[in-house]
Coordinates of all heavy atoms in Angstrom, one line a residue:
A67 N -164.3 78.8 -25.4 CA -164.5 78.4 -24.0 C -165.3 79.5 -23.4 O -164.8 80.6 -23.0 CB -163.1 78.2 -23.3
A68 N -166.6 79.3 -23.3 CA -167.6 80.3 -22.8 C -167.4 80.5 -21.3 O -167.1 79.5 -20.6 CB -169.0 79.9 -23.2
D69 N -167.6 81.7 -20.9 CA -167.5 82.0 -19.5 C -168.5 81.2 -18.6 O -168.2 80.9 -17.5 CB -167.8 83.5 -19.3 CG -166.6 84.4 -19.8 OD1 -165.6 83.9 -20.3 OD2 -166.8 85.6 -19.9
E70 N -169.6 80.8 -19.2 CA -170.6 80.0 -18.4 C -170.2 78.5 -18.4 O -170.9 77.7 -17.8 CB -172.0 80.2 -18.9 CG -172.2 80.3 -20.4 CD -172.1 79.0 -21.2 OE1 -171.9 77.9 -20.7 OE2 -172.2 79.2 -22.4
G71 N -169.1 78.1 -19.0 CA -168.6 76.8 -18.9 C -168.7 75.9 -20.1 O -168.0 74.8 -20.1
S72 N -169.4 76.2 -21.1 CA -169.5 75.4 -22.3 C -168.3 75.6 -23.2 O -167.6 76.6 -23.1 CB -170.8 75.6 -23.0 OG -170.9 76.9 -23.5
R73 N -168.1 74.6 -24.1 CA -167.1 74.8 -25.1 C -167.8 74.6 -26.5 O -168.3 73.5 -26.7 CB -165.9 73.8 -24.9 CG -165.0 74.1 -23.8 CD -163.9 73.1 -23.7 NE -163.0 73.2 -24.9 CZ -162.0 74.1 -25.1 NH1 -161.8 75.1 -24.2 NH2 -161.3 74.0 -26.1
A153 N -170.0 85.4 -24.2 CA -168.7 85.8 -23.7 C -167.8 84.5 -23.6 O -168.2 83.5 -23.1 CB -168.8 86.5 -22.4

Side-chain angles (χ1 to χ4, degrees):
D69 292 351
E70 38 74 3
S72 66
R73 287 186 62 81

